[in-house]
Every structure is written in C-alpha cells, then in structure tokens.
Amino acid sequence: MRIDVITIFPEFFQVLDVSLLGKARQAALVQTHVHQLREWAATKADGTPDPHRTVDDAPFGGGAGMVMKPDVWGKALDDVLQDGGVLVIPSPAGVRFTQALAAELSSAPQLVFACGRYEGIDARVAEHYAQQGVRVLEVSLGDYVLNGGEVAAFAMIEAVTRLIPGFMGNAESIVEESHSDGLLEYPSYTRPASWRGLDVPDVLLSGHHGKVAQWRAEQQLSRTRERRPDLLPPDAGGGLDA
Ligand code: ADE
C-alpha cells in the first residue's frame, strides 16, 4: 500500500518512522510519502507568483476562521492521487471512523490523507474528486474537535496499516481484539496471579479452554453492555438509551 499525506505540518509525521508502522515500511508493505501543501502554493489561482504561499482565505458568507483554498488543494491532489487511490479527508463533520472502515481501507492500493486546518478545506474539493470517480471519504475520529486533520490521519494510518496481511506478527491478536467482532475485548491478566490483594479470576488458572472461552465471551458482553451499549443490538441489552 502507498500512503500519501498532504499537510502544512509535515513534521507531525516524523514519528511514522519510530512507530510500529516503521516495521511495515521496512518490510516494504507500506510506502509513506508526506508532502508540504505549500509546495503547491507558489502561484495564485490567476497564475501570478505568491511569495507568501497562502493556503487559506476568508469564508464566503462570513463567519469565523479561514477556509483552505481549492486551487492549492486541486494542484496537490492532481499530482499525488493515483489510479484506485482513496481520498481521505479527516473532518469532525465526516462519517465515523470504525474498525470496519479500517479493514475496508487496508486493501486499497493508495490512501491519500488531505489534512485540513482552520475551518477545513473548501467543500468543492471533495465534490470535484468524487465527480472524477475517486472514492472520497470525509472521516471523523470521534465526536470532538481537533485543531486539524493531522492527529486524526495518524490514528487512521495506524489502525489501517496494522490490518495489512503480513503486518502483525500474531494474526490471532487482531481477530481477538476490541471491535473486531463488534464487541469490546475481554480483560487480560499476566503473572503474578495475586498482586496488591487482587487475584486473577480462577477460571483463567484452571487450564480448561472451554471454560476460559466462555468466561471471555461473557466478559466481552458485560463490558460492552456497561461501557458501550450503543454497539449492541437492543435484544442484547444495547441501544443508545440502555
Ligand atoms: N479534524 C478536526 N477534528 C477532527 C475529528 N474529530 N476527526 C477527524 N478530523 C478532525
């Protein structure tokens, strides 16, 4: 998979090298390319030079903040998007990022993350590329507002790349983790069996695989019911009002 990130803060992505993702890059499973958006801001929309390399302007209709310019983004994306590439625009107004979406994106040949700042990117950018047949996804990490798309893009990159076949050493740990089956993961324990007066549940020391599996399934359900009832169907005690 090829991952391109376009941002006015490329420094944010230096940690790509040191995270788990560094291993995938070394194994050539992922190639990441981080681009400075201002590289495409050397000339204005009318073709005259822009020594300030401006990437934003005031919103039509008034209001607070600045909007990122479509002409600059258009030049950048024309250069960076490849055939089959998916354009991901992190935005608090996007669809919710989920494990299912991460799994879906892990088979794309290219992901291009367009990181907006300020009040976001001119809405015509998403519209234009969708009209060109590009798969365009505006995606939110959660119901809170970050200062820009960089942190959200980083989280999505990590969630997606660890699902690429061959990336994780232990494929089972992906199958059993939270959200892979729509439920939260069961609690885990290691030695010592007794610590500060707290004992590991007896069943986990029993060596009885069937009972362990049953206990873990119950824990998944009770944890999910307690912490994330929105993930459960109403007949399993879920729903938003549970
Ligand atoms: N940009 C700002 N806030 C965001 C969020 N919650 N998710 C994705 N991108 C964002």
Side-chain angles (χ1 to χ4, degrees):
M1 174 187 287
R2 179 185 162 113
I3 295 177
D4 289 89
V5 179
I6 309 173
T7 169
I8 56 167
F9 293 117
E11 335 50 284
F12 259 96
F13 294 89
Q14 277 168 9
V15 268
L16 281 178
D17 291 325
V18 292
S19 70
L20 246 190
L21 185 54
K23 282 192 211 152
R25 292 173 75 195
Q26 278 165 17
L29 291 170
V30 181
Q31 297 88 46
T32 51
H33 301 267
V34 181
H35 311 273
Q36 167 57 268
L37 177 69
R38 293 190 199 279
E39 302 276 318
W40 288 278
T43 53
K44 298 181 191 168
D46 64 8
T48 59
D50 179 4
H52 304 293
R53 296 186 178 249
T54 312
V55 294
D56 59 333
D57 205 342
F60 278 123
M66 300 289 268
V67 179
M68 295 189 101
K69 292 160 64 61
D71 50 305
V72 177
W73 274 105
K75 281 188 253 181
L77 290 167
D78 285 350
D79 282 351
V80 170
L81 263 171
Q82 299 181 352
D83 278 351
V86 178
L87 173 56
V88 182
I89 306 177
S91 161
V95 299
R96 178 80 73 90
F97 187 64
T98 60
Q99 188 69 10
L101 184 53
E104 211 182 305
L105 294 177
S106 70
S107 60
Q110 185 198 23
L111 298 178
V112 178
F113 289 89
C115 299
R117 284 262 143 183
Y118 320 114
E119 293 305 304
I121 300 171
D122 186 300
R124 289 168 294 182
V125 174
E127 196 181 332
H128 168 75
Y129 288 97
Q131 277 175 359
Q132 302 296 304
V134 174
R135 182 164 183 216
V136 180
L137 290 169
E138 291 184 65
V139 186
S140 171
L141 213 55
D143 295 339
Y144 41 80
V145 179
L146 304 166
N147 283 335
E150 284 78 7
V151 168
F154 198 91
M156 292 186 227
I157 290 169
E158 189 157 308
V160 168
T161 50
R162 61 195 293 287
L163 298 178
I164 296 173
F167 177 66
M168 288 285 278
N170 180 3
E172 238 177 51
S173 65
I174 286 187
V175 174
E176 290 195 359
E177 66 197 4
S178 289
H179 300 293
S180 58
D181 56 5
L183 297 173
L184 302 185
E185 196 178 9
Y186 51 78
S188 297
Y189 305 88
T190 187
R191 276 181 281 270
S194 184
W195 175 75
R196 297 193 181 181
L198 298 170
D199 295 336
V200 171
D202 285 339
V203 62
L204 298 180
L205 310 176
S206 70
H208 193 300
H209 296 304
K211 284 189 181 156
V212 169
Q214 191 191 341
W215 180 85
R216 286 178 167 166
E218 286 163 8
Q219 289 290 313
Q220 281 195 278
L221 205 56
S222 59
R223 258 192 169 184
T224 308
R225 199 174 279 140
E226 193 180 310
R227 299 179 180 180
R228 293 294 306 277
D230 56 300
L231 296 175
L232 291 171
D235 61 2
L240 283 170
D241 299 324

